[in-house]
Amino acid sequence: MEKYRIKPGANVNLDEFDADDKSEFDGDKAEAKDALKEIAKDLDDLQERLYAEGKHAVLFVIQAMDTGGKDGTIRSVFGDLNPAGCRVEAFKAPTSNELAHDYLWRIHQATPRRGMIGVFNRSHYEDVLVVRVHNLTPKEVWSKRYDQINAFERMLTEEGTTIVKFYLHISKEEQKKRLEERIEDPTKRWKFNPKDLDERKLWGEYQDAFKDVLSKTSTAYAPWYVIPANRNWYRNIVVARIVQDTLRDLNPQFPESDLDFSNIVIE
Ligand code: AMP
Ligand code: MG
């Protein structure tokens, strides 16, 4: 999955990333579903160990254009985990209380504790994406945030949190299809927000903002992965494998007990 990882300092050009790519999976959609089930079993085991060990926190950040598949990815990749050990945080437009603080205030409170997996559906990156595209704060304020975010993430990793970030990459044509589906399919209408059409007009501005995010904030300690996301099944399998690799690298172990079990009798 290394091929999707953005190297620190890279000058990212999103046009060079094929949202239709499926080259890292040798099979079709049905086979990918089976493979995903296998990974899910392993994730369940890894998560239990992570929780039992209580040593590491793990944070997965998910960003995408509207309809990019954030919700679907979370359901497919993390949906089978024990809910006690995995917490999903969705960040909406800030409340007045949140706006009265610095932009990382609400984020820091939502970071996972040791033993937990945290999944961010949107994140502090909105503060250099929607905020930048809509001029919600002046450029001299948001332009300093890339360095601030790197410093924040560095601190988190140095204090025991592993961070991996996913940008789900869809094409503009795919977004059109998905927005149309939201109109046509009654079970998807609830997701349709007329504002998404205004956002779509700003596609280029958002892509520029993402380009800067990926170029400036993919670090050795908190890397970004650009996930080809036009095909849901491929997106899911790639994200699941990276999650699996991340947890395996931590190699969490059930802790040894210092109790003498030979003396314990249950009456
Ligand atoms: P959704 O994920 O579709 O429920 O929409 C959440 C909305 O909250 C999106 O329109 C985001 O752009 C918006 N949002 C999230 N974080 C921020 C932020 N820091 N500042 C402004 N808007 C935000
Ligand atoms: Mg939305």
Side-chain angles (χ1 to χ4, degrees):
M1 300 291 99
E2 280 314 290
K3 116 181 220 196
Y4 300 127
R5 184 184 174 124
I6 304 298
K7 291 183 189 64
N11 190 8
V12 174
N13 176 3
L14 276 174
D15 297 336
E16 288 168 6
F17 289 83
D18 178 10
D20 281 310
D21 180 25
K22 55 181 174 80
S23 59
E24 296 298 305
F25 187 76
D26 206 13
D28 59 17
K29 185 173 170 175
E31 287 165 314
K33 278 204 170 139
D34 291 340
L36 189 62
K37 268 189 212 142
E38 280 307 304
I39 299 176
K41 275 187 219 152
D42 193 34
L43 292 186
D44 193 44
D45 171 60
L46 286 161
Q47 185 208 29
E48 191 178 9
R49 289 165 182 273
L50 187 87
Y51 190 87
E53 189 182 56
K55 225 162 88 181
H56 309 281
V58 185
L59 174 60
F60 297 105
V61 172
I62 305 185
Q63 290 284 166
M65 300 291 286
D66 288 326
T67 74
K70 300 186 294 297
D71 299 320
T73 304
I74 292 169
R75 187 171 57 210
S76 305
V77 176
F78 300 97
D80 285 341
L81 293 182
N82 180 348
C86 179
R87 192 156 151 189
V88 179
E89 298 282 349
F91 292 96
K92 309 279 178 187
T95 63
S96 55
N97 185 28
E98 287 166 347
L99 280 174
H101 293 82
D102 69 87
Y103 67 102
L104 291 174
W105 180 75
R106 65 173 181 163
I107 305 296
H108 202 171
Q109 291 185 71
T111 54
R113 55 194 292 167
R114 283 178 237 285
M116 294 287 291
I117 295 173
V119 182
F120 282 1
N121 183 343
R122 303 184 189 269
S123 65
H124 41 305
Y125 286 98
E126 293 293 328
D127 294 284
V128 285
L129 290 164
V130 64
V131 166
R132 161 175 164 167
V133 170
H134 286 279
N135 297 308
L136 301 180
T137 59
K139 181 171 185 186
E140 67 252 37
V141 175
W142 61 252
S143 62
K144 296 197 176 82
R145 291 181 173 170
Y146 304 97
D147 288 343
Q148 293 163 357
I149 287 171
N150 286 339
F152 172 65
E153 292 181 354
R154 178 172 205 123
M155 181 279 289
L156 289 177
T157 56
E158 286 174 352
E159 293 285 329
T161 301
T162 296
I163 304 175
V164 173
K165 302 175 292 198
F166 300 108
Y167 168 62
L168 311 179
H169 182 47
I170 58 164
S171 62
K172 197 174 177 190
E173 301 76 66
E174 180 64 25
Q175 190 192 55
K176 180 176 193 302
K177 249 172 64 189
R178 292 183 184 194
L179 285 169
E180 285 168 352
E181 249 169 53
R182 284 188 181 179
I183 295 171
E184 282 152 25
D185 181 345
T187 69
K188 288 188 177 165
R189 272 195 192 150
W190 66 275
K191 280 196 172 200
F192 184 78
N193 180 350
K195 271 197 194 144
D196 291 350
L197 302 182
D198 299 328
E199 296 299 274
R200 179 170 165 80
K201 294 189 186 123
L202 299 168
W203 178 275
E205 284 83 346
Y206 272 104
Q207 292 285 288
D208 287 346
F210 269 115
K211 169 190 162 26
D212 272 358
V213 161
L214 297 167
S215 302
K216 292 175 195 277
T217 65
S218 195
T219 54
Y221 48 90
W224 276 105
Y225 288 83
V226 175
I227 310 294
N230 274 3
R231 287 182 180 80
N232 296 353
W233 61 266
Y234 187 70
R235 170 201 79 200
N236 292 341
I237 195 100
V238 172
V239 171
R241 281 180 181 169
I242 296 168
V243 168
Q244 184 184 34
D245 288 346
T246 305
L247 297 177
R248 277 187 179 165
D249 284 349
L250 290 172
N251 193 23
Q253 301 295 322
F254 292 112
E256 298 278 347
S257 171
D258 38 15
L259 294 174
D260 180 1
F261 284 91
S262 64
N263 286 332
I264 300 178
V265 178
I266 314 284
E267 301 279 334

